[in-house]
Amino acid sequence: SNFSLVALAALLIVLIAFLIRWLVQRIVQRPIHQLMSMMERASQGELDVRINIREDPELRRLAKNFNAMIRGIQSAQKRIELQHQRESAQSNRLASLGQYISNISHEIKNPLAAISSALHVLKGEFQAADGQVIYQELTAQLLRIERTVNNLLRYARQAPPSFESCH
């Protein structure tokens, strides 16, 4: 009878141990493995993962926070993509504007060169004092226009990228 009582107690202990192991497996380990699997998928860039744990309140809260974090990452990613699209469009517009300014400047510089050459040829015609004032004014205005056009060209020219160390 002592032996059967000890055997029954041992059998009961083994059954309780298996029951506890099964409960731990079901309530704790499986949800943790699910969560780890979803975290691995999310870390590889798969942001459409969600997890739903019903067994343990703490793990349920952890899963809820994980899902909220994934939603936050998706939202941030969408904002970054939208900002990138805006900046890309702005960059394209500025490049087009630079090309346009370059074309206009070229069209202005050609007649300016012809006018300047003609003015130098006609310099002798401006011998009188009043003529010299007119000649100097015309020359000054031509130089002013040329400086303005050169400034436009300098603005339109794309600067090479400047790399520097930063924190």
Side-chain angles (χ1 to χ4, degrees), residues 121-160:
V121 168
L122 296 174
K123 183 177 182 179
E125 301 294 323
F126 296 102
Q127 292 299 328
D130 289 345
Q132 286 296 319
V133 172
I134 293 172
Y135 176 79
Q136 288 173 351
E137 181 63 26
L138 287 172
T139 305
Q141 292 304 318
L142 280 172
L143 287 173
R144 186 177 67 82
I145 293 170
E146 189 174 340
R147 271 195 310 271
T148 302
V149 170
N150 286 336
N151 286 339
L152 277 174
L153 280 173
R154 209 173 8 264
Y155 173 78
R157 196 171 298 125
Q158 284 188 339

Side-chain angles (χ1 to χ4, degrees), residues 18-152:
F18 277 120
L19 179 64
I20 289 173
R21 186 177 189 309
W22 180 79
L23 285 173
V24 167
Q25 172 74 23
R26 175 143 171 77
I27 295 174
V28 178
Q29 285 182 339
R30 190 175 354 147
I32 287 176
H33 286 300
Q34 283 179 321
L35 187 59
M36 287 175 58
S37 171
M38 293 301 153
M39 289 173 78
E40 180 67 30
R41 287 172 56 188
S43 73
Q44 293 175 353
E46 193 177 329
L47 295 180
D48 60 343
V49 296
R50 296 293 183 271
I51 188 163
N52 188 14
I53 296 176
R54 289 180 237 108
E55 291 88 353
D56 182 61
E58 291 297 317
L59 292 175
R60 187 178 323 129
R61 201 171 100 218
L62 185 62
K64 182 180 175 185
N65 288 337
F66 172 79
N67 292 338
M69 179 187 69
I70 292 295
R71 281 192 302 274
I73 290 171
Q74 284 177 319
S75 173
Q77 187 178 33
K78 286 178 185 174
R79 284 193 312 267
I80 289 170
E81 287 173 358
L82 185 62
Q83 181 67 23
H84 174 70
Q85 289 172 352
R86 281 191 213 126
E87 287 177 3
S88 180
Q90 178 69 15
S91 177
N92 289 340
R93 282 192 296 274
L94 287 175
S96 296
L97 180 62
Q99 186 65 40
Y100 185 67
I101 288 173
S102 178
N103 291 341
I104 288 176
S105 297
H106 179 73
E107 292 299 321
I108 292 173
K109 281 184 84 122
N110 286 342
L112 272 182
I115 293 170
S116 180
S117 296
L119 188 60
H120 286 315
V121 168
L122 296 174
K123 183 177 182 179
E125 301 294 323
F126 296 102
Q127 292 299 328
D130 289 345
Q132 286 296 319
V133 172
I134 293 172
Y135 176 79
Q136 288 173 351
E137 181 63 26
L138 287 172
T139 305
Q141 292 304 318
L142 280 172
L143 287 173
R144 186 177 67 82
I145 293 170
E146 189 174 340
R147 271 195 310 271
T148 302
V149 170
N150 286 336
N151 286 339
L152 277 174

